[in-house]
């Protein structure tokens, strides 16, 4: 596979991920379909939408994000790889880890942690107030 318009480092990173997950081109049905929506005459004439189906898992992906077929092809392969990785690794996948991180960040603080945070805030405000006081005295 060769994706024009995509940096070689991104392309190589995708190949490495695909190889690690055991995704092979022979296991994927790749079709090019006419896109719909914005893009005008170019989109209506050229088949820029990319459809991929991974036969062993049955996962289907359809991408028509860009006007260029090669970029859509790259995005489709990357999306397919992400979906297969999520299915295989489950909780260990990158996407799942990001979701867990967001949950931890949004979780309500415990009473003790909240008190500690407020105490620290009060301490900093006192320091600032003292600084202001010193500046006023010097003038």
């Amino acid at each position: 596979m060769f994706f024009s318009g995509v940096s070689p480092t991104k392309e190589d990173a995708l190949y490495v991920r695909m190889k690690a997950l055991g995704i092979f081109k022979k296991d994927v049905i790749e079709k090019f379909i006419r896109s719909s929506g914005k893009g005008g005459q170019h989109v209506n004439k050229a088949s820029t939408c990319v459809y991929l189906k991974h036969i062993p898992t049955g996962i289907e992906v359809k991408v028509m994000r860009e006007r260029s077929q090669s970029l859509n092809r790259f995005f489709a392969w990357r999306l397919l790889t992400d979906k297969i990785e999520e299915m295989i690794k489950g909780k260990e996948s990158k996407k799942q880890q990001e979701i867990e991180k967001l949950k931890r960040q949004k979780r309500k603080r415990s009473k003790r942690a909240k008190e500690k945070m407020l105490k620290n805030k009060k301490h900093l405000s006192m320091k600032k107030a003292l600084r202001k006081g010193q500046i006023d005295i010097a003038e």
Side-chain angles (χ1 to χ4, degrees):
M1 281 182 280
F2 178 72
F3 308 107
S4 61
V6 179
S7 70
T9 52
K10 285 184 180 180
E11 197 173 330
D12 291 341
L14 179 63
Y15 289 138
V16 169
R17 281 183 61 207
M18 286 171 61
K19 196 171 188 180
L21 293 168
I23 303 169
F24 304 104
K25 190 172 167 63
K26 65 180 180 186
D27 295 337
V28 178
I29 296 171
E30 185 174 37
K31 292 181 187 175
F32 301 102
I33 311 163
R34 288 224 175 115
S35 296
S36 62
K38 295 177 183 174
Q41 191 174 5
H42 175 75
V43 166
N44 297 334
K45 280 183 169 182
S47 299
T48 54
C49 181
V50 180
Y51 169 84
L52 300 176
K53 182 176 182 177
H54 190 245
I55 298 165
T57 58
I59 294 175
E60 295 178 354
V61 170
K62 188 176 176 183
V63 175
M64 53 183 178
R65 194 183 307 173
E66 301 290 328
R67 285 181 65 187
S68 146
Q69 187 185 70
S70 59
L71 277 176
N72 282 336
R73 190 170 175 225
F74 172 75
F75 288 135
W77 278 98
R78 193 166 67 179
L79 185 62
L80 182 74
T81 307
D82 289 343
K83 285 189 174 192
I84 292 173
E85 181 181 36
E86 193 176 331
M87 189 190 78
I88 292 172
K89 292 188 175 179
K91 288 214 176 226
E92 296 170 14
S93 74
K94 207 183 285 184
K95 190 174 182 182
Q96 199 62 35
Q97 286 178 347
E98 287 172 11
I99 291 169
E100 294 295 323
K101 184 180 179 184
L102 279 172
K103 280 183 182 176
R104 283 194 307 273
Q105 287 173 346
K106 290 182 177 183
R107 190 171 48 207
K108 194 175 177 183
R109 284 194 176 99
S110 68
K111 227 177 191 178
R112 189 172 180 183
K114 199 170 186 181
E115 285 173 6
K116 187 177 177 182
M117 187 246 333
L118 289 172
K119 184 178 174 185
N120 190 28
K121 242 180 162 178
K122 182 100 175 156
H123 178 72
L124 287 172
S125 70
M126 292 296 287
K127 275 167 102 176
K128 283 187 173 185
L130 287 172
R131 273 190 233 137
K132 276 187 179 177
Q134 290 175 351
I135 292 171
D136 293 339
I137 295 169
E139 291 177 326

